[in-house]
Structure formats: C-alpha cells, structure tokens
Amino acid sequence: MAEGSFQVVPAVDLLGDEAVRLEQGDFGRVAVRAQPEELVRRFAAAGARLIHVVDLDGARHGLIRTGVIGRLAEAAAPANLQASGGIRSPADAEQLLAAGAARVVVGTAALAEPEALEPFVAQFGDRLVVAIDVRGGRVAARGWLEDTGLDASDVAGHCAEAGVSRILCTAIERDGMLGGPDLDLLRGVRGASGLPVLAAGGIRSESDLAAVAAIGCEGAVVGRALLDGSLPLSAVVGREPDQQFPRRR
C-alpha cells in the first residue's frame, strides 16, 4: 500500500468450498454464499491490490489449506492475498506464504502465551498481521469461539512492544451486520499501539470509510457491503490523500 493512502481490502470468508458471509461470526447464520475463485477474480478486476481471505474451518480447527490458498492466490493475481485462519505456528505461516499469500494473519497463536509473538515477528516482519478480534470488549480466539479474557488495548500495546508491523481489528458483534464500525474500539487499539490498523466489522458506506480513515486507520477490510452493493466495487481502488472519501456531515 502506498505511503499515506487508505485502502479498502475486500474480504472472502471460506466455509468448506464456498465463500460465505456470517453474521457476528456465527457459523449458523450464513448471510451470503458465493464461489470463491469467481469472487477474488471480481475483486481483482475491480482494482483491489490486496484481498483478505479467511479460512473459517481452519480458524475453528487449527488447520491450514495450502492448496486452497494457492488456487485463490493464482485467481487473484495481480492482486495480493492476505491469508488468515488456522495458523498456529511459524511453520504454518511459512507454508501459506510459500503457497502464494503475500501476508499472513495470526490471532490465536499470537495470544497463546506472552512470548508467542516473538518468533512470528522475527521470521515474517511486515508480512505478518496480528488479528485482534473483539466481542464485548474482550479478545476472542479460535474462530471467535473462545473468550480469552484479554483486553483489546492491552493486546494492542503488547503487539507494539513485540515489534508487530500492523494490526487487523474486528468488532465481532458488528461483523456482517452492516451497522457501522466500532470507532471507539478502533481509537483504543490505535492509541494503545501506535501501529497501522486495518478496521473490520460493520462497515457499510463511504461515510463509514471516511470515519475510519479520519481516526487514523490505514484501511478497512470489507465483506458484505461489497457483496450486496452497499459499497460499489470501485471503492476497492486505493485513495491517496488528495482523494479522500466524502466526510460525514
């Protein structure tokens, strides 16, 4: 991503062989179904430079699917892939990068113990993104099914101390609901870490993107709003500082 730009990153969530959108991370509430290769091609053709792919089965069970990531990376070209779900070790992350991902997102493994982040940071540098997924003010793990009891700002501060390059912060209760982003959560994570933050959860409009950009986030991961047309596909083209989103009035 260019220095100083704000990027909209399309999200593709995988459940089995389908691309889906869940409501609030609930596996029993599938709102949208699609064919994943077709979806990443559509996003890449619209001008996306980065596509966020989450393997929901992997997140639940701690497994990675290198073949799936490889196929999607090929389908997405020339866009890059940011792979998430099921990464429990640096070896898992390395396999997904070797399969074609440009970045890997680690959540559960990063929270396993105080020193868990160090080998990931040392090995992957700016190819690593740490996921802070929040429900009720506390960080969730293992496909959002486990409450870690950790405070989001505390985890964000720990990421900064460990040398993490960027954070992906998701408001679980807003995910897939098109109810707007949790700006207070995002401000807290930005303030506690001082790191670049990708915002996720509830983003539905260009006004929401403007609000997220205004508090200093470097981008937003957007799923359902792009699929149902609340946001036009043209929103995935990166914005430079002189091409800002319309401000909320």
Side-chain angles (χ1 to χ4, degrees), residues 81-165:
L81 221 63
Q82 179 171 280
S84 177
I87 299 169
R88 298 292 187 264
S89 68
D92 288 340
E94 186 60 57
Q95 287 183 60
L96 293 181
L97 291 168
R103 288 182 186 166
V104 288
V105 181
V106 178
T108 299
L111 305 173
E113 56 189 35
E115 308 304 320
L117 266 177
E118 290 184 2
F120 285 98
V121 173
Q123 188 165 344
F124 304 114
D126 63 5
R127 294 179 296 167
L128 173 71
V129 182
V130 173
I132 299 180
D133 304 318
V134 185
R135 180 189 286 116
R138 295 194 300 268
V139 178
R142 301 191 184 280
W144 299 353
L145 299 174
E146 177 185 308
D147 182 350
T148 66
L150 299 171
D151 177 80
S153 293
D154 289 344
V155 173
H158 175 60
C159 287
E161 292 170 0
V164 170
S165 294

